PDB file of all heavy atoms in Angstrom:
ATOM      1  N   ALA A 239      -4.477   8.167 -46.083  1.00  0.00           N
ATOM      2  CA  ALA A 239      -3.484   8.315 -44.966  1.00  0.00           C
ATOM      3  C   ALA A 239      -2.562   6.923 -44.779  1.00  0.00           C
ATOM      4  O   ALA A 239      -1.988   6.858 -43.814  1.00  0.00           O
ATOM      5  CB  ALA A 239      -4.054   8.599 -43.698  1.00  0.00           C
ATOM      6  N   THR A 240      -2.815   5.950 -45.784  1.00  0.00           N
ATOM      7  CA  THR A 240      -2.217   4.675 -45.456  1.00  0.00           C
ATOM      8  C   THR A 240      -0.981   4.459 -46.239  1.00  0.00           C
ATOM      9  O   THR A 240      -0.440   3.402 -46.152  1.00  0.00           O
ATOM     10  CB  THR A 240      -3.178   3.466 -46.013  1.00  0.00           C
ATOM     11  OG1 THR A 240      -3.421   3.581 -47.338  1.00  0.00           O
ATOM     12  CG2 THR A 240      -4.624   3.651 -45.197  1.00  0.00           C
ATOM     13  N   GLY A 241      -0.501   5.502 -46.891  1.00  0.00           N
ATOM     14  CA  GLY A 241       0.877   5.341 -47.613  1.00  0.00           C
ATOM     15  C   GLY A 241       2.087   5.007 -46.794  1.00  0.00           C
ATOM     16  O   GLY A 241       1.888   5.082 -45.480  1.00  0.00           O
ATOM     17  N   ALA A 242       3.083   4.664 -47.305  1.00  0.00           N
ATOM     18  CA  ALA A 242       4.232   4.156 -46.634  1.00  0.00           C
ATOM     19  C   ALA A 242       5.048   5.236 -46.067  1.00  0.00           C
ATOM     20  O   ALA A 242       5.777   5.132 -45.117  1.00  0.00           O
ATOM     21  CB  ALA A 242       5.115   3.427 -47.570  1.00  0.00           C
ATOM     22  N   THR A 243       4.913   6.417 -46.537  1.00  0.00           N
ATOM     23  CA  THR A 243       5.628   7.695 -46.138  1.00  0.00           C
ATOM     24  C   THR A 243       5.330   8.069 -44.582  1.00  0.00           C
ATOM     25  O   THR A 243       4.106   8.255 -44.387  1.00  0.00           O
ATOM     26  CB  THR A 243       5.466   8.882 -47.054  1.00  0.00           C
ATOM     27  OG1 THR A 243       5.962   8.492 -48.365  1.00  0.00           O
ATOM     28  CG2 THR A 243       6.399  10.066 -46.458  1.00  0.00           C
ATOM     29  N   ALA A 244       6.142   8.100 -43.701  1.00  0.00           N
ATOM     30  CA  ALA A 244       5.984   8.451 -42.340  1.00  0.00           C
ATOM     31  C   ALA A 244       5.603   9.954 -42.314  1.00  0.00           C
ATOM     32  O   ALA A 244       6.198  10.836 -42.977  1.00  0.00           O
ATOM     33  CB  ALA A 244       6.906   8.141 -41.445  1.00  0.00           C
ATOM     34  N   THR A 245       4.496  10.340 -41.553  1.00  0.00           N
ATOM     35  CA  THR A 245       4.355  11.775 -41.388  1.00  0.00           C
ATOM     36  C   THR A 245       5.259  12.440 -40.336  1.00  0.00           C
ATOM     37  O   THR A 245       5.273  13.785 -40.350  1.00  0.00           O
ATOM     38  CB  THR A 245       2.785  11.987 -41.032  1.00  0.00           C
ATOM     39  OG1 THR A 245       2.532  11.291 -39.814  1.00  0.00           O
ATOM     40  CG2 THR A 245       1.916  11.453 -42.200  1.00  0.00           C
ATOM     41  N   ASP A 246       5.728  11.626 -39.419  1.00  0.00           N
ATOM     42  CA  ASP A 246       6.688  12.193 -38.557  1.00  0.00           C
ATOM     43  C   ASP A 246       7.407  11.068 -37.982  1.00  0.00           C
ATOM     44  O   ASP A 246       7.435   9.928 -38.386  1.00  0.00           O
ATOM     45  CB  ASP A 246       5.908  13.049 -37.469  1.00  0.00           C
ATOM     46  CG  ASP A 246       4.771  12.169 -36.722  1.00  0.00           C
ATOM     47  OD1 ASP A 246       4.942  11.008 -36.603  1.00  0.00           O
ATOM     48  OD2 ASP A 246       3.831  12.741 -36.233  1.00  0.00           O
ATOM     49  N   GLY A 247       8.123  11.295 -36.829  1.00  0.00           N
ATOM     50  CA  GLY A 247       8.810  10.246 -36.168  1.00  0.00           C
ATOM     51  C   GLY A 247      10.300  10.624 -35.885  1.00  0.00           C
ATOM     52  O   GLY A 247      10.802  11.574 -36.464  1.00  0.00           O
ATOM     53  N   THR A 248      10.798   9.858 -34.997  1.00  0.00           N
ATOM     54  CA  THR A 248      12.234  10.086 -34.615  1.00  0.00           C
ATOM     55  C   THR A 248      12.821   8.642 -34.485  1.00  0.00           C
ATOM     56  O   THR A 248      12.143   7.679 -34.464  1.00  0.00           O
ATOM     57  CB  THR A 248      12.405  10.828 -33.258  1.00  0.00           C
ATOM     58  OG1 THR A 248      12.056   9.890 -32.253  1.00  0.00           O
ATOM     59  CG2 THR A 248      11.590  12.039 -33.216  1.00  0.00           C
ATOM     60  N   PRO A 249      14.219   8.620 -34.364  1.00  0.00           N
ATOM     61  CA  PRO A 249      14.755   7.223 -34.118  1.00  0.00           C
ATOM     62  C   PRO A 249      14.201   6.431 -32.921  1.00  0.00           C
ATOM     63  O   PRO A 249      13.990   5.299 -32.885  1.00  0.00           O
ATOM     64  CB  PRO A 249      16.246   7.623 -33.912  1.00  0.00           C
ATOM     65  CG  PRO A 249      16.460   8.868 -34.687  1.00  0.00           C
ATOM     66  CD  PRO A 249      15.166   9.625 -34.556  1.00  0.00           C
ATOM     67  N   ALA A 250      13.774   7.345 -31.894  1.00  0.00           N
ATOM     68  CA  ALA A 250      13.164   6.583 -30.672  1.00  0.00           C
ATOM     69  C   ALA A 250      11.763   6.191 -30.912  1.00  0.00           C
ATOM     70  O   ALA A 250      11.158   5.432 -30.239  1.00  0.00           O
ATOM     71  CB  ALA A 250      13.267   7.603 -29.585  1.00  0.00           C
ATOM     72  N   ARG A 251      11.077   6.774 -31.927  1.00  0.00           N
ATOM     73  CA  ARG A 251       9.724   6.470 -32.253  1.00  0.00           C
ATOM     74  C   ARG A 251       9.365   6.265 -33.670  1.00  0.00           C
ATOM     75  O   ARG A 251       8.767   7.043 -34.326  1.00  0.00           O
ATOM     76  CB  ARG A 251       8.691   7.759 -31.841  1.00  0.00           C
ATOM     77  CG  ARG A 251       8.783   8.030 -30.156  1.00  0.00           C
ATOM     78  CD  ARG A 251       7.968   9.212 -29.911  1.00  0.00           C
ATOM     79  NE  ARG A 251       6.561   8.784 -30.310  1.00  0.00           N
ATOM     80  CZ  ARG A 251       5.469   9.774 -30.163  1.00  0.00           C
ATOM     81  NH1 ARG A 251       5.725  10.938 -29.766  1.00  0.00           N
ATOM     82  NH2 ARG A 251       4.299   9.284 -30.541  1.00  0.00           N
ATOM     83  N   PRO A 252      10.051   5.118 -34.191  1.00  0.00           N
ATOM     84  CA  PRO A 252       9.915   4.926 -35.697  1.00  0.00           C
ATOM     85  C   PRO A 252       8.417   4.564 -35.911  1.00  0.00           C
ATOM     86  O   PRO A 252       7.702   3.943 -35.244  1.00  0.00           O
ATOM     87  CB  PRO A 252      10.782   3.678 -35.802  1.00  0.00           C
ATOM     88  CG  PRO A 252      11.127   3.135 -34.535  1.00  0.00           C
ATOM     89  CD  PRO A 252      10.823   4.129 -33.529  1.00  0.00           C
ATOM     90  N   SER A 253       8.134   4.985 -37.101  1.00  0.00           N
ATOM     91  CA  SER A 253       6.566   5.006 -37.519  1.00  0.00           C
ATOM     92  C   SER A 253       6.054   3.513 -37.682  1.00  0.00           C
ATOM     93  O   SER A 253       5.035   3.265 -37.405  1.00  0.00           O
ATOM     94  CB  SER A 253       6.280   5.688 -38.808  1.00  0.00           C
ATOM     95  OG  SER A 253       6.494   7.053 -38.660  1.00  0.00           O
ATOM     96  N   GLY A 254       6.946   2.587 -38.036  1.00  0.00           N
ATOM     97  CA  GLY A 254       6.463   1.223 -38.519  1.00  0.00           C
ATOM     98  C   GLY A 254       6.627   0.236 -37.396  1.00  0.00           C
ATOM     99  O   GLY A 254       6.339  -0.862 -37.747  1.00  0.00           O
ATOM    100  N   GLN A 255       6.928   0.529 -36.128  1.00  0.00           N
ATOM    101  CA  GLN A 255       7.289  -0.540 -35.267  1.00  0.00           C
ATOM    102  C   GLN A 255       6.198  -0.378 -34.125  1.00  0.00           C
ATOM    103  O   GLN A 255       5.630   0.714 -33.802  1.00  0.00           O
ATOM    104  CB  GLN A 255       8.594  -0.482 -34.598  1.00  0.00           C
ATOM    105  CG  GLN A 255       9.680  -0.639 -35.691  1.00  0.00           C
ATOM    106  CD  GLN A 255      11.097  -0.586 -34.904  1.00  0.00           C
ATOM    107  OE1 GLN A 255      11.210  -1.242 -33.939  1.00  0.00           O
ATOM    108  NE2 GLN A 255      12.111  -0.121 -35.650  1.00  0.00           N
ATOM    109  N   GLN A 256       5.934  -1.517 -33.470  1.00  0.00           N
ATOM    110  CA  GLN A 256       5.016  -1.555 -32.258  1.00  0.00           C
ATOM    111  C   GLN A 256       5.656  -0.757 -31.108  1.00  0.00           C
ATOM    112  O   GLN A 256       6.841  -0.888 -30.784  1.00  0.00           O
ATOM    113  CB  GLN A 256       4.714  -2.979 -31.832  1.00  0.00           C
ATOM    114  CG  GLN A 256       4.013  -3.693 -32.892  1.00  0.00           C
ATOM    115  CD  GLN A 256       3.718  -5.180 -32.408  1.00  0.00           C
ATOM    116  OE1 GLN A 256       3.667  -5.286 -31.163  1.00  0.00           O
ATOM    117  NE2 GLN A 256       3.507  -6.045 -33.296  1.00  0.00           N
ATOM    118  N   PRO A 257       4.852   0.031 -30.325  1.00  0.00           N
ATOM    119  CA  PRO A 257       5.441   0.805 -29.242  1.00  0.00           C
ATOM    120  C   PRO A 257       6.165  -0.079 -28.246  1.00  0.00           C
ATOM    121  O   PRO A 257       7.257   0.418 -27.762  1.00  0.00           O
ATOM    122  CB  PRO A 257       4.174   1.510 -28.625  1.00  0.00           C
ATOM    123  CG  PRO A 257       3.160   1.545 -29.739  1.00  0.00           C
ATOM    124  CD  PRO A 257       3.482   0.345 -30.659  1.00  0.00           C
ATOM    125  N   SER A 258       5.609  -1.168 -27.911  1.00  0.00           N
ATOM    126  CA  SER A 258       6.367  -2.006 -26.889  1.00  0.00           C
ATOM    127  C   SER A 258       7.701  -2.420 -27.224  1.00  0.00           C
ATOM    128  O   SER A 258       8.507  -2.866 -26.384  1.00  0.00           O
ATOM    129  CB  SER A 258       5.405  -3.296 -26.690  1.00  0.00           C
ATOM    130  OG  SER A 258       5.268  -4.057 -27.680  1.00  0.00           O
ATOM    131  N   THR A 259       8.053  -2.425 -28.557  1.00  0.00           N
ATOM    132  CA  THR A 259       9.407  -2.793 -29.034  1.00  0.00           C
ATOM    133  C   THR A 259      10.266  -1.777 -29.085  1.00  0.00           C
ATOM    134  O   THR A 259      11.497  -1.988 -29.261  1.00  0.00           O
ATOM    135  CB  THR A 259       9.235  -3.573 -30.458  1.00  0.00           C
ATOM    136  OG1 THR A 259       8.823  -2.644 -31.508  1.00  0.00           O
ATOM    137  CG2 THR A 259       8.260  -4.663 -30.385  1.00  0.00           C
ATOM    138  N   VAL A 260       9.801  -0.493 -29.103  1.00  0.00           N
ATOM    139  CA  VAL A 260      10.806   0.639 -29.155  1.00  0.00           C
ATOM    140  C   VAL A 260      10.903   1.466 -27.992  1.00  0.00           C
ATOM    141  O   VAL A 260      11.563   2.495 -28.085  1.00  0.00           O
ATOM    142  CB  VAL A 260      10.528   1.442 -30.525  1.00  0.00           C
ATOM    143  CG1 VAL A 260      10.539   0.595 -31.787  1.00  0.00           C
ATOM    144  CG2 VAL A 260       9.102   1.982 -30.463  1.00  0.00           C
ATOM    145  N   ARG A 261       9.997   1.270 -26.880  1.00  0.00           N
ATOM    146  CA  ARG A 261      10.028   2.090 -25.890  1.00  0.00           C
ATOM    147  C   ARG A 261      10.275   1.180 -24.580  1.00  0.00           C
ATOM    148  O   ARG A 261       9.979   0.040 -24.506  1.00  0.00           O
ATOM    149  CB  ARG A 261       8.666   2.824 -25.739  1.00  0.00           C
ATOM    150  CG  ARG A 261       8.627   3.943 -26.767  1.00  0.00           C
ATOM    151  CD  ARG A 261       7.687   5.028 -26.279  1.00  0.00           C
ATOM    152  NE  ARG A 261       6.204   4.496 -26.309  1.00  0.00           N
ATOM    153  CZ  ARG A 261       5.518   4.587 -27.351  1.00  0.00           C
ATOM    154  NH1 ARG A 261       5.734   5.152 -28.447  1.00  0.00           N
ATOM    155  NH2 ARG A 261       4.246   4.185 -27.246  1.00  0.00           N
ATOM    156  N   THR A 262      10.604   1.871 -23.414  1.00  0.00           N
ATOM    157  CA  THR A 262      10.793   1.148 -22.228  1.00  0.00           C
ATOM    158  C   THR A 262       9.435   0.941 -21.419  1.00  0.00           C
ATOM    159  O   THR A 262       9.291   0.149 -20.575  1.00  0.00           O
ATOM    160  CB  THR A 262      11.735   1.939 -21.253  1.00  0.00           C
ATOM    161  OG1 THR A 262      11.189   3.261 -20.986  1.00  0.00           O
ATOM    162  CG2 THR A 262      13.093   2.064 -21.829  1.00  0.00           C
ATOM    163  N   TYR A 263       8.470   1.767 -21.940  1.00  0.00           N
ATOM    164  CA  TYR A 263       7.078   1.690 -21.276  1.00  0.00           C
ATOM    165  C   TYR A 263       6.499   0.300 -21.515  1.00  0.00           C
ATOM    166  O   TYR A 263       6.342  -0.216 -22.710  1.00  0.00           O
ATOM    167  CB  TYR A 263       6.080   2.776 -21.852  1.00  0.00           C
ATOM    168  CG  TYR A 263       4.792   2.788 -21.177  1.00  0.00           C
ATOM    169  CD1 TYR A 263       4.613   3.303 -19.931  1.00  0.00           C
ATOM    170  CD2 TYR A 263       3.783   2.173 -21.963  1.00  0.00           C
ATOM    171  CE1 TYR A 263       3.240   3.274 -19.400  1.00  0.00           C
ATOM    172  CE2 TYR A 263       2.519   2.129 -21.372  1.00  0.00           C
ATOM    173  CZ  TYR A 263       2.300   2.661 -20.000  1.00  0.00           C
ATOM    174  OH  TYR A 263       1.080   2.662 -19.521  1.00  0.00           O
ATOM    175  N   THR A 264       5.966  -0.290 -20.455  1.00  0.00           N
ATOM    176  CA  THR A 264       5.333  -1.624 -20.548  1.00  0.00           C
ATOM    177  C   THR A 264       3.869  -1.329 -19.950  1.00  0.00           C
ATOM    178  O   THR A 264       3.499  -0.350 -19.257  1.00  0.00           O
ATOM    179  CB  THR A 264       5.920  -2.621 -19.738  1.00  0.00           C
ATOM    180  OG1 THR A 264       6.126  -2.355 -18.406  1.00  0.00           O
ATOM    181  CG2 THR A 264       7.365  -3.030 -20.471  1.00  0.00           C
ATOM    182  N   GLU A 265       3.022  -2.273 -19.980  1.00  0.00           N
ATOM    183  CA  GLU A 265       1.794  -2.312 -19.327  1.00  0.00           C
ATOM    184  C   GLU A 265       1.996  -2.151 -17.760  1.00  0.00           C
ATOM    185  O   GLU A 265       2.803  -2.569 -17.238  1.00  0.00           O
ATOM    186  CB  GLU A 265       1.050  -3.709 -19.593  1.00  0.00           C
ATOM    187  CG  GLU A 265      -0.463  -3.620 -19.179  1.00  0.00           C
ATOM    188  CD  GLU A 265      -0.633  -4.066 -17.619  1.00  0.00           C
ATOM    189  OE1 GLU A 265       0.132  -4.745 -17.146  1.00  0.00           O
ATOM    190  OE2 GLU A 265      -1.623  -3.399 -17.071  1.00  0.00           O
ATOM    191  N   GLN A 266       1.064  -1.224 -17.243  1.00  0.00           N
ATOM    192  CA  GLN A 266       1.294  -0.720 -15.977  1.00  0.00           C
ATOM    193  C   GLN A 266       1.562  -1.735 -14.755  1.00  0.00           C
ATOM    194  O   GLN A 266       2.625  -1.702 -14.071  1.00  0.00           O
ATOM    195  CB  GLN A 266       0.151   0.081 -15.556  1.00  0.00           C
ATOM    196  CG  GLN A 266       0.292   0.757 -14.125  1.00  0.00           C
ATOM    197  CD  GLN A 266      -0.796   1.718 -13.857  1.00  0.00           C
ATOM    198  OE1 GLN A 266      -0.559   2.833 -13.488  1.00  0.00           O
ATOM    199  NE2 GLN A 266      -2.081   1.404 -13.964  1.00  0.00           N
ATOM    200  N   ASN A 267       0.695  -2.666 -14.780  1.00  0.00           N
ATOM    201  CA  ASN A 267       0.898  -3.791 -13.669  1.00  0.00           C
ATOM    202  C   ASN A 267       2.201  -4.499 -13.892  1.00  0.00           C
ATOM    203  O   ASN A 267       2.958  -4.827 -12.998  1.00  0.00           O
ATOM    204  CB  ASN A 267      -0.272  -4.708 -13.551  1.00  0.00           C
ATOM    205  CG  ASN A 267      -1.578  -4.016 -12.990  1.00  0.00           C
ATOM    206  OD1 ASN A 267      -1.443  -3.092 -12.262  1.00  0.00           O
ATOM    207  ND2 ASN A 267      -2.702  -4.507 -13.373  1.00  0.00           N
ATOM    208  N   GLU A 268       2.477  -4.857 -15.229  1.00  0.00           N
ATOM    209  CA  GLU A 268       3.567  -5.699 -15.493  1.00  0.00           C
ATOM    210  C   GLU A 268       4.893  -4.913 -15.214  1.00  0.00           C
ATOM    211  O   GLU A 268       5.836  -5.465 -14.764  1.00  0.00           O
ATOM    212  CB  GLU A 268       3.563  -6.128 -16.885  1.00  0.00           C
ATOM    213  CG  GLU A 268       4.743  -7.098 -17.270  1.00  0.00           C
ATOM    214  CD  GLU A 268       4.721  -8.257 -16.389  1.00  0.00           C
ATOM    215  OE1 GLU A 268       3.730  -8.861 -15.967  1.00  0.00           O
ATOM    216  OE2 GLU A 268       5.904  -8.706 -16.240  1.00  0.00           O
ATOM    217  N   SER A 269       4.784  -3.597 -15.270  1.00  0.00           N
ATOM    218  CA  SER A 269       6.038  -2.768 -14.981  1.00  0.00           C
ATOM    219  C   SER A 269       6.423  -2.893 -13.535  1.00  0.00           C
ATOM    220  O   SER A 269       7.618  -2.839 -13.234  1.00  0.00           O
ATOM    221  CB  SER A 269       5.777  -1.342 -15.391  1.00  0.00           C
ATOM    222  OG  SER A 269       4.904  -0.533 -14.502  1.00  0.00           O
TER     223      SER A 269
END
Side-chain angles (χ1 to χ4, degrees):
T240 66
T243 303
T245 59
D246 57 29
T248 71
R251 296 180 59 184
S253 296
Q255 296 185 39
Q256 295 181 25
S258 59
T259 66
V260 297
R261 289 202 291 268
T262 58
Y263 179 79
T264 59
E265 192 274 326
Q266 177 174 233
N267 287 333
E268 185 57 34
S269 69

